[in-house]
Amino acid sequence: MPISRTVGGAAIESWTLNAQGLRGQTLTIGGLEATMTDVLARIEYMDGTTWTRRFTPRDPAAVIPVGDTATNVAGLYLKLGIEHILFGIDHLLFVLALLMLTRGRMLLVKTVTAFTVAHSLTLALATLGLFHVPQAPVEAVIALSIVFVAVEIVRRQQGRVGVAARAPWIVAFSFGLLHGFGFAGALSEVGLPAGHIPLALLFFNLGVEAGQLIFVAAVMALLVAARRVVLTPPVWALRVPAYSIGTLAMFWTIQRIAMFSIS
């Protein structure tokens, strides 16, 4: 009988098998092709070796190899990192708010770099077990960090330029530490393959950075396209994005605090 549990939005099932000859066999996730769900399978052998594979509706079967290769681990965790940031709406909204708050190319580079360094640091510390922070409060404060930056955007639009607008890299680094713990929570749900932990951590982080750069590039491209439009929007329209981001983030904050209190 499998042991089932739910972590975040993922359903996790674990089996303990007394079986011989798994290596070389084909593992198929039955019925996966009729869904819109991905499955991450992880086999841990008694000798300490592991095998990890991502199954999709288009690719529901795979042959279990003799051992998990470094290339397979790197490719898998790179893709997981990209998908995590691109589907992590709260992290993307924080990055978007930072872009809206920052003025100047060099300041933007410093801000993005500070965010990268900060969350890479705490991601590594938490994943390697050197530092532990309860996940529920972290998720609530991540939402609150988006509210804070949204408020600073509105203040700047009103002509009240504070420390956050003058030095957004400080805000990016400070809250980036918390976002790193959020990334670590997602990575802990997947797990790290024994024997390839540093490699998996490195490529997951590279995937997060790649996804972040893809998002930043897309936003900058949209801004360039928008500047070519002759029509000048009214002042109130310029405030809609900041208020929308802040409202959604405040809802998340209240929701996550309420869930934390219930649990």
Side-chain angles (χ1 to χ4, degrees), residues 11 17 64 66 84 86 90 92 98 122 139 156 161 183 190 203-204 213 217 239-240 245-246 253 261:
L17 303 177
I64 302 173
V66 174
H84 178 70
L86 291 182
D90 50 356
L92 290 183
L98 286 176
T122 48
E139 294 296 334
R156 185 186 185 102
V161 180
F183 294 146
V190 176
F203 275 85
F204 181 83
L213 290 176
R239 296 181 179 177
V240 170
I245 292 172
T253 303
S261 300

Side-chain angles (χ1 to χ4, degrees), residues 17-183:
L17 303 177
N18 184 10
Q20 300 292 329
L22 281 178
R23 292 181 173 92
Q25 299 298 314
T26 299
L27 176 61
T28 303
I29 309 299
L32 186 62
E33 62 276 6
T35 71
M36 298 178 63
T37 303
D38 291 354
V39 173
L40 187 69
R42 174 180 167 86
I43 298 176
E44 298 182 0
Y45 297 99
M46 292 296 293
D47 61 4
T49 59
T50 64
W51 176 67
T52 307
R53 174 65 184 247
R54 177 172 173 264
F55 295 84
T56 66
R58 291 185 177 183
D59 188 17
V63 176
I64 302 173
V66 174
D68 213 356
T69 66
T71 302
N72 291 338
V73 170
L76 173 64
Y77 281 84
L78 179 68
K79 181 179 288 189
L80 288 174
I82 294 174
E83 291 179 348
H84 178 70
I85 188 68
L86 291 182
F87 290 101
I89 304 300
D90 50 356
H91 299 296
L92 290 183
L93 279 185
F94 182 76
V95 174
L96 176 60
L98 286 176
L99 295 177
M100 295 171 61
L101 183 65
T102 307
R103 297 290 185 273
R105 185 172 299 177
M106 289 306 301
L107 192 56
L108 176 61
V109 171
K110 287 176 62 177
T111 301
V112 173
T113 301
F115 183 62
T116 296
V117 171
H119 72 64
S120 298
L121 178 63
T122 48
L123 171 61
L125 289 175
T127 303
L128 296 176
L130 301 176
F131 203 94
H132 174 72
V133 176
Q135 195 64 22
V138 166
E139 294 296 334
V141 179
I142 285 175
L144 193 59
S145 70
I146 305 171
V147 175
F148 173 80
V149 180
V151 170
E152 290 300 308
I153 295 171
V154 174
R155 283 169 54 85
R156 185 186 185 102
Q157 292 172 341
Q158 295 173 345
R160 296 181 292 169
V161 180
V163 176
R166 290 195 300 268
W169 61 271
I170 296 177
V171 176
F173 184 84
S174 301
F175 286 122
L177 296 173
L178 286 167
H179 283 253
F181 286 122
F183 294 146

Side-chain angles (χ1 to χ4, degrees), residues 228-243:
R228 296 179 179 177
V229 178
V230 179
L231 297 177
T232 302
V235 176
W236 64 264
L238 297 175
R239 296 181 179 177
V240 170
Y243 279 103

Side-chain angles (χ1 to χ4, degrees), residues 182-260:
F183 294 146
L187 187 56
S188 67
E189 296 177 7
V190 176
L192 292 171
H196 295 292
I197 291 177
L199 183 68
L201 178 59
L202 171 62
F203 275 85
F204 181 83
N205 196 56
L206 289 176
V208 169
E209 299 316 313
Q212 181 177 296
L213 290 176
I214 291 171
F215 177 72
V216 171
V219 171
M220 299 304 292
L222 287 175
L223 288 177
V224 171
R227 287 177 185 146
R228 296 179 179 177
V229 178
V230 179
L231 297 177
T232 302
V235 176
W236 64 264
L238 297 175
R239 296 181 179 177
V240 170
Y243 279 103
S244 300
I245 292 172
T247 300
L248 180 58
M250 195 68 233
F251 169 76
W252 284 337
T253 303
I254 296 171
Q255 182 187 52
R256 293 175 183 182
I257 291 175
M259 293 299 294
F260 176 60

